[in-house]
């Protein structure tokens, strides 16, 4: 009897292993940078989609893998970054699919840095809105450094060129020597700072290896500043100035030179616009009838804080930006200040090195990486 019991137990175990393995093979996909890049090239992305390559978020695949929604779980919430990417016809159906997925998990989805494109969609589903800032954009068709208004820009550019500084754009794949230069500049810039994550890029060799890099070198050829340049791969292509780093001894105006030269280079290459990223709390609570919470946010913007120079960032980007696009926090069933606190914790959380590999499983339980 004992032998028979052991035999049946072994049979059962083998059956279980076979069934589980078959289920896994049917429900799992390999998600890597090649897949993500081909997806974005097929459908087009947005000015946040390059952050997908950091692999610090989960990704929900909806509408038969035609739409991707990136998010991170925090407590009982799924915090989505930006708008969906993929087949635009399927976006609203994909959002409904994601909301149902979250409901099945008894988790509340919220949307951070959402555009105003889906405001009526969210409103009809009982969501509230809080403007978290504006994304600075440069319309390259209208951008020029001619005329009186651009005198300072011309002065900056001419000064660096006259003194022998050289701007260039490097394309991947990169030589190891170049990557070492980038790493050294990044480490010097970081010093006692900590890398951020989620909605902010961080220096990872696998990440920066995917995009062109704009560089500024001094008279000796030493790299003193750089910025990574991801694209949204749409017909009317938008370039983003993403990860920016510079050395401690770089001269005043070095990053201005990188920004200006990159914008002019992008215009020459035929890009339509250039995103400079979001300016948090920019133009929030400026109207008399603005909600109390937005007027409080305006106070924080005007007075700054020891953690973040909101006003200074807006002023810097305003040197170059030609237009500003509002971004929102879309939420419900939550106290706003608690949500903001959770967002701060997520952004300030350092990226884990072991989460940055580019081979991760896409678990098709509707369907998370």
């Amino acid at each position: 009897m004992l032998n028979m019991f052991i035999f049946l137990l072994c049979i059962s175990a083998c059956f279980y292993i076979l069934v589980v393995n078959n289920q896994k093979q049917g429900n799992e996909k390999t998600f890597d940078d090649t897949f993500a890049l081909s997806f974005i090239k097929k459908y087009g992305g947005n000015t946040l989609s390059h952050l997908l390559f950091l692999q610090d978020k989960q990704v929900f695949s909806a509408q038969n893998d035609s739409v991707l929604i990136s998010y991170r779980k925090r407590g009982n919430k799924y915090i989505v970054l930006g708008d969906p990417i993929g087949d635009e016809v399927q976006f609203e159906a994909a959002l409904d699919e994601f909301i149902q997925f979250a409901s099945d998990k008894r988790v509340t989805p919220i949307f951070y840095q959402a555009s105003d494109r889906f405001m009526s969609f969210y409103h009809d589903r009982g969501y509230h809105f809080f403007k978290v800032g504006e994304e600075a954009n440069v319309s390259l068709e209208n951008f020029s450094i001619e005329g009186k208004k651009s005198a300072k820009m011309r002065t900056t550019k001419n000064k660096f060129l006259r003194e022998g500084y050289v701007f260039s754009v490097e394309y991947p794949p990169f030589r190891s020597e170049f990557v070492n230069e980038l790493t050294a500049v990044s480490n010097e810039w970081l010093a006692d700072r900590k890398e951020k994550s989620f909605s902010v890029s961080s220096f990872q060799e696998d990440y920066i290896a995917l995009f062109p890099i704009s560089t500024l070198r001094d008279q000796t050829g030493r790299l003193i500043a750089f910025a990574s340049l991801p694209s949204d791969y749409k017909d009317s292509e938008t370039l983003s100035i993403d990860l920016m780093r510079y050395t401690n001894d770089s001269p005043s105006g070095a990053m201005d030179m990188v920004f200006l030269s990159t914008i002019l280079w992008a215009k020459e290459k035929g890009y339509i616009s250039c995103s400079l990223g979001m300016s948090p709390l920019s133009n929030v609570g400026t109207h008399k009838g603005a909600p109390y919470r937005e007027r409080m946010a305006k106070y924080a913007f005007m007075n700054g804080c020891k953690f973040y120079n909101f006003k200074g960032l807006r002023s810097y980007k305003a040197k170059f930006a030609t237009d500003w696009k509002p971004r929102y926090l879309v939420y419900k069933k939550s106290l706003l200040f608690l949500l903001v606190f959770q967002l701060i914790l997520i952004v300030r959380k350092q990226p884990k090195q072991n989460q940055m590999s580019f081979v991760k499983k896409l678990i098709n339980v509707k369907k998370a990486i």
Side-chain angles (χ1 to χ4, degrees), residues 48 111-116 119 129-137 277-286 293-294 297-298 301 308 310-311 313-314 317 323-330 336 340 343:
L48 291 171
F111 302 85
Y112 176 58
Q113 291 196 34
S115 72
D116 54 7
M119 290 298 103
F129 313 99
F130 175 74
K131 186 177 178 182
V132 291
E134 295 178 322
E135 180 185 333
N137 279 268
M278 196 177 80
S279 178
L281 300 183
S282 171
N283 208 22
V284 175
T286 55
R293 61 185 182 275
E294 290 193 6
K298 178 190 173 185
F301 173 78
Y308 207 98
F310 299 109
K311 191 176 180 180
L313 184 60
R314 161 82 189 204
K317 293 182 178 182
D323 58 277
W324 300 81
K325 298 179 180 180
R327 293 291 178 258
Y328 298 91
L329 176 63
V330 182
L336 181 60
V340 172
L343 283 167

Side-chain angles (χ1 to χ4, degrees), residues 177-245:
E177 294 82 2
F178 180 59
V179 174
N180 291 339
E181 286 183 297
L182 297 173
T183 303
V185 172
S186 179
N187 289 342
E188 184 175 334
W189 181 89
L190 277 171
D192 57 353
R193 298 182 180 103
K194 293 182 179 179
E195 294 276 21
K196 296 180 175 60
S197 64
F198 189 64
S199 61
V200 182
S201 58
S202 58
F203 188 91
Q204 305 290 336
E205 287 188 16
D206 287 336
Y207 176 70
I208 62 166
L210 294 170
F211 317 116
I213 305 284
S214 59
T215 67
L216 185 65
R217 295 181 181 274
D218 67 12
Q219 304 89 335
T220 68
R222 182 173 66 98
L223 182 67
I224 62 168
F226 71 86
S228 61
L229 309 175
S231 164
D232 66 358
Y233 290 100
K234 289 188 175 179
D235 291 336
S236 300
E237 253 184 310
T238 294
L239 189 78
S240 293
I241 298 181
D242 179 34
L243 184 74
M244 299 164 284
R245 300 286 154 94

